Each structure stands twice: as C-alpha cells, then as structure tokens.
Amino acid sequence: MKRRTFLLTGLTAGGALVLGWATLGPRQRLRGSRPLPTTGGEVPINGWVKIAPDETVTVIVPKSEMGQGIHTACAMILAEELDADWSRVRVEHAPIDKIYNNIAAVVDALPMNPDSDGMLKQMVRTSVANYAREMGFMFTGGSSSVTDTWEPMRNAGAMARAALRAAAAAQWNVLPEACRVEDGVVILNDRRLTFGALATAARDHLPDRWSLKTPQQFSLIGTSPVRLDAADKSNGKAVFGFDAGPADRLYAAVALPPSLGATVARVDDAKAKAIPGVIAVVPLAGGRYGSRPGVAVVAKDWPTARQGVDALATQWAEGDGGEFSSREAAMDLEARAVRNDGKIWRDDGDVVEAYRRAVYSVEAAYGVPYLAHAPMEPENCTVLVRDGAAEVWTGTQVPGVVRRAVADLCDLDEDDVTLHQQVLGGGFGRRQIVDYVVSAAEIAKAVPGRAVQLLWTREQDIQQGPFRPLNRARLTAALDGDGRITALTSASAGQSMVQGWSRYLEDRIAQNFPEKTTVEGLIDQPYTFPAIRVVHDRVDLPVPVHNWRAVGHSYTGFYLESFIDECAAVKQLDPITYRLAMLASSPRARAVLSLAAEKAGWNAPIAPASPGARAGRGVALRRCFNAYEAQIAEVEISADRQLRVRRVVSAIDCGYAVNPDGVKQQMESGILFGLSAALHGEITIEKGRVAQSNLHDYRPLRLSETPVIETHIVVSDEPPGGVGEVGVAAIAPAVTNAIFAAGGGRIRNLPIRLEKAEVVR
C-alpha cells in the first residue's frame, strides 16, 4: 500500500492520525524543499517571489493559466502585501514542490455541509489539509486557485516586505517600524532604497513574524488592472504546448481505438513507412494512466505524420465496451433512480411522516447526457528522452502527475524528468488527465535523442473522452396546503467523475476518499427543508469519465432548481418569493437572489420582440465552490418555436473579489460554456462508438446566439471563493425555467429540445 493511501485510510477512518494532525494547521507553505531557479541575479526571498537587480518582481504561481486569469489574480495578491510596483511584476510557473499542493480543493471535497460547524468538523478539515500539504499534489481545478493561494501568497508577500524593510533599516541604522514600503521602494524621510538594491541583503533579514494588511489597507486587491497575459495573447507571443519544444523536434500522429476498449489486433505499416519523411512507426501499449492502445507515426512534420496514419492498415479487436449504447444506459439509470436504493448521502428529518401528512406531492425525472470537454487547444505534448533523463513540454493541470507518469514510462527517477509548463488553450478538467502525455513518452522512448511532439486531432479529442457522465435523477417532494416543501427526496444514478480520475492517476487516493461530486449541490444546497433525503447509485460503465467544468453541480443544479420551480408552480407561487422563504438561514444566498431579481427587473412586464412570439424569465440559485450565485435568464420563443436566450443577469458573492473584472469575465465564460451545453451539448454512443466528431456536431455557442450578460458582484469581506465554474451551474435551469414561464412547457432533459418539452397543468 502506498504511503499516501495508508495515511488517507487513517484520516478517513477517524484514527490517531486525525487526532494527531488536527491540533496543527497545514505545515508551512513558504519555503520549498529546493531553492527556486534563478537567472540574471534574481534573489528568491521565499518559495513564492524573486526580486531581480533590475527591479523585476517575479511571482511564482503554482496554478495553470488556461484563460481564467489566475496568474494575474495570484500576482495581485502577493504584490499587494509586498507593496510592489505593479508595472514591474512578472509571473513564472512554479516548480513541482509540496508547498504548492492544492489544499483548498481537497478540503472542499469533504462530504460536509458548509453550514455545519464544531470541533469534529474542524479537526477533520485540518487533518485533511495537513494530508494534502504533505501527501497530495499540485493541481488546478475545483475553482480553488484563489482560495488555495490566498493565505500563502499574502504571507509570502508580507514576509518579503518585512525582510526588505528590515534590510533597509539595518543600512540606515533605524528600527524597521520607522520605514515604510511603497511601490517597490523602502522609504525613510527623503531616503529611498529600491527592492532590487535590497534583495540580497533581505535574505539576511528574513523575519519570524510579519503582519498582513487589513482589507481597508488594500490598494491593488479589489481593482482591475490589465491582465498580465493580455498583451502576449493578443500579439501571438504567448507560448502554448503547440509552440514549445526544441526547434528540430519531430512530430507524431496516432491511430486510436474506434470504439470503447478496442485494441490493436494487427497492423500493416509498410505503406506508412514508405512515405518520404516518415521516421518511425511506434505501437502504443496503452493502459497506463488512462492512455489508449494504438499506433503512432513519427515524421519530420505533422501533416506527414497524419498522412502516415491514414496509410496504416490497422485491424482492431473489439473490447468490453464494443456493444455499449448510451441510450440503453440512460434507460438503466432511469430505472435505478426509480428503485431509490443507492448510497444514502443525507437523511435529515422524518421524510416518511412528511409524505404521510402531505397535501400535495410533486414528482419529476431529469436527465443529462455525456459531454466532452472540447478545449480549443487539442491534446498535445512534446517529450525528449536522452541520456537517462527526460524533458516534457506541455500545458497541464497536474504537473506533478505528468512528471511521475513520464518517469514511470521511461524507467526514470522523478528528479530526472524536467517539465516545462506552458499556458493552456482551455482545460475544463480535461488536462487533469495525462493520457496524451503518456503516449508522447511512449513514442519518445522509441526515438531516443529526438524530441517528439504528439498532437491529437479535434476528432480524437471529442471522441476519445473522458466525458462528463451520463446521469439520471428522480426528485419527489411533499407539500403542505400552502405549497411549501415539507420533504424533498432525490434519487440519482450515474458514474463517478472522481472515481474515474483515480484510475487515471494510478493512485488509490480518490478510491479511498469519500468524494461527494455525484451529489454535490444536493446535500449542501442553501435551502432549509424540514426533511430531506439524498440517495445516489454509483454505476460503473465502460465509458471513460472525468471532472467536467462545475463537476457535479453542472447537473445537480439543473435537477434541483428545475424541481423547485415545479413545486412553486403547484400553487402558482412566485419562484423568487418561494425560494426566499426557504433561505432564512442563508443570508448570502438571499442577498444574491434579491440582487439578481432587482437588476433583472423581475417584477416588470416582459414583452417579446417579434410578432407571435412569447417571452419569459426564469431563475436559478446555486451555492458551489464556496460562492453564492443567482441567475435570471430572459428567453423568447418565436411563433415557429425557435428559442433565443436574450439576456442573463447574474449576481455573485464570491467572498473578497480580488479582480472584479476577472470575476465578471469568468462569470461570462461559465455562462456561455454552460449555455453551449444546455442548448447543444450531447455525446451519444452506439455500439461503443461516439457519434459526434467535431465542432459541427458537437457545437459551441455561436456569436449570434450569445445573450447580453450582466454580472453584479456582492461586496463581501468573506475569504475568496471560487468563480471559474460557478456560472456553469445555474444557467441551464434558469433558461429551462424561463421556457416554462414563456409557455414553452417543462424541459426535464438536456440538451434543450422544445419539441420534447412536457406540458404541465
């Protein structure tokens, strides 16, 4: 048993490790196990910041930049406490070190109600935080980046500021308190010393204690400077995985299984090898870290490699998933949800008595399809294996796993693998999987001494997965004579995203961890119900699945918020007033719901823009990723039943908003991502084969379909929560509830098909 598995077993079992670790916070995160790499006279003050003689301040960021603006947000947090000159601030990807392990996402994954408190909860949270710090790994996901770096970035900046001030005070022979720090300069009356001039001396004055600013002292946090990556991404200087690696690299294209679980039975590579420019044909064993079996063609350029793949005569042997049908699987999941005999995740109050006394009852079945991640940058990775070492160039959400996987595949120590992390052209959870990295390492190992860049096609990216799981749910409610919910029951069935991830990690951490993604948004929603029961039947299917943006909230939000609207409709109650009555114990949820209603003009009449059309508004409320959000969607249904989403008004309380413009950008991004899925997203599988192949039949939202989006941020002094995935969770139910309000019927299955809307009287 691996050490991390042993420790986690102790943690989750409530053993001595819990009691031993629960008395301490996460161990220090400021000093790494190795010095930071430096160039040009840079001086590392701690594991998070370096200062150069030319006054450049380099912030070390352990989170992957994939368009969400996290490099700018993290740099702002540290620069604020450092009192750096923002124009001198730069960002560098962090090396792999346990001080950068993601603690916040692991703690947030605990199946605990956020509203509960007490010593036991704090003990478990602290124990798991210590575990994540010591035995976890670096990763970007779960909308946790700002939450996870908030404290270490602030402390690293404040520590460096104290060291610089102490170094200047020593030179001037005064107490540090006599000096002040401002825009990269330490000042005493008319005397000034810059950070660059003080950096070396500051290393001799590292403090044991320092003070953090109060929010009232912030001058950078809470503002919206231009993103640090904006210029390079506009002028083409930003380096993505496609662009990285030695100039003389070779290129590889691959033939991958046409159906679930298929393997190579036979291949005739003679025609491929005869193509000028083809260097090698490499069989791929697959299986490690979720990688697929197949055949790779290595050539001088990618078009030639692709031509070589097309020339291969490959015969495939069907696997266990060769007869899989997503349509049949959906029917089975529906039956499992009806049986309601899965794992009980929450069971509060007397559900049975509530149903016995109910005046009304409501029941509805909902469903969502498989979904692809479909980042704009398909999977790619460059690997060079040479002289007992390896170098890797790629964009990944899990740098430590990349290094470990390449070391395993190439029979190397992890210290002999160097990862050159690049910015990502989208991630959405897909690049938490290293299957394409493993294939690149297999290929490079067969061509030692030459760097090889592997690139998947768009079709391979969409058809190979992993996918967000297919899922089905059945919700029932008991209502009193006034239409108020006295008991709510949710029974769902589907695969587990985190359990799927555990297989790709080749680590038992996720298999042992009591993950809640299958029911998140149901067991921890903000409403107060007198009785509630949440059950989920976890089903294993031969389809690769993994975290998709917003994870379980991406479908539980659709289920619960649609169902609450259905309950309100029994007595024709206003959907917002109905929700507010159930939020007495959640003031933050009440605030975002009220703000969204005000800004959307909820009580004002809504009129269609064209003759014969009908218009309506719908609302959805979510608490997820330590944030609260409400969305109100306005839709119009034309006379020929064409749907248009006209406007979306969103209100969010994400705690302290580090960069308000960044928050708005991510809310817009999440809303458009979720709306793409709600209107068009669907992966269907028959006889083990994915029907969709590219952006024409797995299509994102078009510009002409994009609604007006307004985001309103609640001013808050709470610690920062997540933003990047929050907008995804509420948009589908907000739109489907608006469709009902416009007289279009109930949509209970995604993607939205008006012709399948159910008429409810």
Side-chain angles (χ1 to χ4, degrees):
M1 184 183 292
K2 294 185 179 181
R3 184 168 179 241
R4 68 172 66 214
T5 303
F6 169 74
L7 287 171
L8 184 58
T9 302
L11 288 170
T12 56
L17 285 172
V18 170
L19 299 177
W21 277 11
T23 58
L24 301 171
R27 298 176 64 182
Q28 72 85 18
R29 298 181 72 184
L30 293 185
R31 299 178 179 87
S33 57
R34 296 180 181 178
L36 290 172
T38 59
T39 59
E42 291 176 322
V43 178
I45 306 300
N46 49 51
W48 300 79
V49 62
K50 301 184 293 187
I51 299 174
D54 68 356
E55 308 302 334
T56 299
V57 173
T58 301
V59 179
I60 309 303
V61 180
K63 306 302 179 183
S64 304
E65 177 57 71
M66 43 194 174
Q68 80 278 42
I70 192 58
H71 281 187
T72 300
C74 284
M76 288 176 65
I77 297 168
L78 190 143
E80 174 70 74
E81 293 288 352
L82 180 59
D83 277 321
D85 178 352
W86 180 249
S87 68
R88 299 283 189 174
V89 173
R90 304 292 182 268
V91 167
E92 190 174 290
H93 287 107
I96 299 168
D97 193 292
K98 62 185 180 182
I99 68 168
Y100 309 121
N101 287 352
N102 193 323
I103 293 175
V106 176
V107 172
D108 189 50
L110 289 169
M112 294 181 173
N113 191 323
D115 294 329
S116 65
D117 205 350
M119 182 177 295
L120 178 60
K121 175 182 176 180
Q122 293 306 316
M123 288 172 61
V124 173
R125 288 174 62 90
T126 302
S127 299
V128 171
N130 278 309
Y131 164 80
R133 161 64 174 81
E134 296 298 317
M135 252 58 75
F137 57 98
M138 293 171 60
F139 71 93
T140 304
S143 292
S144 63
S145 293
V146 170
T147 305
D148 188 55
T149 57
W150 177 249
E151 289 190 5
M153 282 286 183
R154 292 186 68 194
N155 279 290
M159 174 193 185
R161 170 166 46 87
L164 290 160
R165 188 172 68 165
Q171 290 193 33
W172 293 327
N173 196 28
V174 298
L175 293 174
E177 291 76 12
C179 308
R180 76 178 194 274
V181 185
E182 185 178 313
D183 289 335
V185 180
V186 183
I187 303 170
L188 175 65
N189 299 325
D190 59 349
R191 288 185 281 186
R192 301 164 66 88
L193 284 171
T194 66
F195 283 5
L198 289 168
T200 300
R203 291 283 298 170
D204 297 324
H205 293 83
L206 297 179
D208 294 325
R209 295 183 180 182
W210 50 85
S211 60
L212 298 177
K213 292 182 179 181
T214 65
Q216 292 72 29
Q217 295 173 303
F218 290 161
S219 60
L220 182 60
I221 291 177
T223 67
S224 300
V226 175
R227 280 176 51 160
L228 295 177
D229 57 347
D232 284 353
K233 287 183 175 177
S234 299
N235 61 29
K237 291 183 179 179
V239 179
F240 295 83
F242 289 124
D243 313 309
D248 64 346
R249 61 187 177 270
L250 301 174
Y251 295 83
V254 290
L256 294 174
S259 62
L260 297 173
T263 56
V264 177
R266 180 178 176 277
V267 60
D268 183 347
D269 59 11
K271 290 183 179 179
K273 288 181 175 179
I275 296 173
V278 169
I279 308 299
V281 175
V282 181
L284 301 176
R288 300 297 307 276
Y289 295 90
S291 62
R292 281 78 165 167
V295 185
V297 176
V298 182
K300 63 178 182 178
D301 53 47
W302 196 82
T304 302
R306 184 68 245 172
Q307 183 183 358
V309 167
D310 292 339
L312 291 172
T314 307
Q315 296 179 10
W316 300 91
E318 292 287 351
D320 293 341
E323 294 300 317
F324 179 83
S325 164
S326 56
R327 178 181 54 81
E328 294 176 0
M331 294 171 61
D332 177 64
L333 296 182
E334 289 170 3
R336 289 172 179 267
V338 170
R339 286 201 297 270
N340 191 15
D341 58 0
K343 173 182 171 60
I344 299 173
W345 281 88
R346 185 172 178 181
D347 194 4
D348 297 344
D350 193 335
V351 172
V352 174
E353 178 63 15
Y355 280 106
R356 190 185 69 81
R357 298 171 64 91
V359 177
Y360 305 99
S361 64
V362 183
E363 178 178 338
Y366 301 95
V368 296
Y370 286 111
L371 292 175
H373 297 78
M376 289 306 295
E377 178 192 13
E379 280 59 62
N380 65 89
C381 179
T382 302
V383 180
L384 169 63
V385 179
R386 178 174 59 191
D387 300 330
E391 290 187 75
V392 183
W393 293 263
T394 193
T396 177
Q397 295 175 247
V398 285
V401 179
V402 164
R403 186 178 68 171
R404 171 159 56 93
V406 173
D408 286 352
L409 264 292
C410 298
D411 301 315
L412 301 170
D413 291 334
E414 289 190 31
D415 289 343
D416 295 324
V417 178
T418 301
L419 170 63
H420 304 281
Q421 169 76 305
Q422 312 300 320
V423 295
L424 287 67
F428 317 127
R430 176 60 181 88
R431 283 185 168 85
Q432 290 176 349
I433 303 299
V434 300
D435 48 357
Y436 59 99
V437 174
V438 170
S439 295
E442 280 192 86
I443 297 165
K445 188 177 179 183
V447 192
R450 296 296 302 273
V452 182
Q453 183 178 95
L454 169 65
L455 170 64
W456 281 21
T457 65
R458 176 75 61 195
E459 289 80 4
Q460 288 170 333
D461 173 56
I462 288 176
Q463 294 186 323
Q464 293 294 321
F467 307 106
R468 190 197 70 175
L470 181 75
N471 196 280
R472 291 292 185 269
R474 175 177 172 268
L475 275 68
T476 59
L479 276 60
D480 64 16
D482 295 322
R484 293 173 298 202
I485 298 174
T486 57
L488 184 142
T489 301
S490 169
S492 57
Q495 293 169 265
S496 163
M497 286 179 260
V498 171
Q499 292 293 327
W501 192 19
S502 70
R503 299 186 182 97
Y504 303 131
L505 290 175
E506 293 205 354
D507 196 315
R508 291 174 59 190
I509 173 175
Q511 294 176 357
N512 288 295
F513 200 82
E515 58 92 5
K516 65 176 182 181
T517 58
T518 53
V519 290
E520 63 184 2
L522 293 170
I523 62 172
D524 52 1
Q525 40 72 34
Y527 302 108
T528 298
F529 301 117
I532 180 172
R533 180 182 173 92
V534 178
V535 176
H536 179 76
D537 188 356
R538 200 187 82 199
V539 181
D540 291 326
L541 298 171
V543 181
V545 296
H546 178 53
N547 297 344
W548 188 88
R549 192 173 183 181
V551 203
H553 292 284
S554 67
Y555 49 83
T556 62
F558 172 59
Y559 299 162
L560 183 60
E561 289 301 302
S562 298
F563 188 66
I564 287 177
D565 250 47
E566 297 210 37
C567 292
V570 169
K571 296 286 286 185
Q572 296 183 333
L573 301 174
D574 176 75
I576 287 184
T577 304
Y578 193 72
R579 286 170 169 81
L580 287 171
M582 297 185 288
L583 295 171
S585 62
S586 186
R588 295 177 71 185
R590 288 180 61 89
V592 294
L593 184 58
S594 298
L595 180 59
E598 174 194 344
K599 297 299 184 181
W602 177 261
N603 292 319
I606 180 170
S610 56
R614 293 170 292 172
R617 293 189 185 97
V619 62
L621 170 72
R622 301 305 298 148
R623 174 174 65 188
C624 50
F625 307 105
N626 297 303
Y628 294 77
E629 186 225 4
Q631 285 183 29
I632 293 176
E634 294 182 3
V635 307
E636 182 168 319
I637 303 172
S638 66
D640 59 351
R641 291 189 63 79
Q642 299 300 306
L643 173 68
R644 181 166 71 93
V645 182
R646 305 192 317 197
R647 180 185 181 213
V648 178
V649 177
S650 173
I652 181 171
D653 177 353
C654 59
Y656 209 98
V658 173
N659 184 317
D661 277 359
V663 171
K664 292 179 181 179
Q665 290 164 6
Q666 279 302 284
M667 290 306 300
E668 292 170 2
S669 167
I671 288 168
L672 296 178
F673 190 91
L675 188 55
S676 290
L679 295 178
H680 308 302
E682 185 175 26
I683 290 292
T684 56
I685 306 172
E686 290 298 331
K687 291 192 176 297
R689 288 162 171 78
V690 174
Q692 292 71 26
S693 63
N694 209 312
L695 299 182
H696 69 287
D697 54 4
Y698 189 81
R699 54 175 287 225
L701 205 67
R702 301 295 194 253
L703 188 60
S704 60
E705 301 171 288
T706 303
V708 173
I709 300 175
E710 303 172 22
T711 299
H712 303 275
I713 303 172
V714 174
V715 177
S716 174
D717 289 331
E718 295 287 339
V723 176
E725 298 170 90
V726 177
V728 179
I731 184 62
V735 169
T736 56
N737 289 339
I739 290 171
F740 177 78
R746 285 288 179 196
I747 302 293
R748 293 186 174 131
N749 290 275
L750 297 179
I752 294 169
R753 300 285 184 265
L754 288 184
E755 66 273 15
K756 295 184 178 180
E758 299 181 37
V759 177
V760 180
R761 294 181 174 85

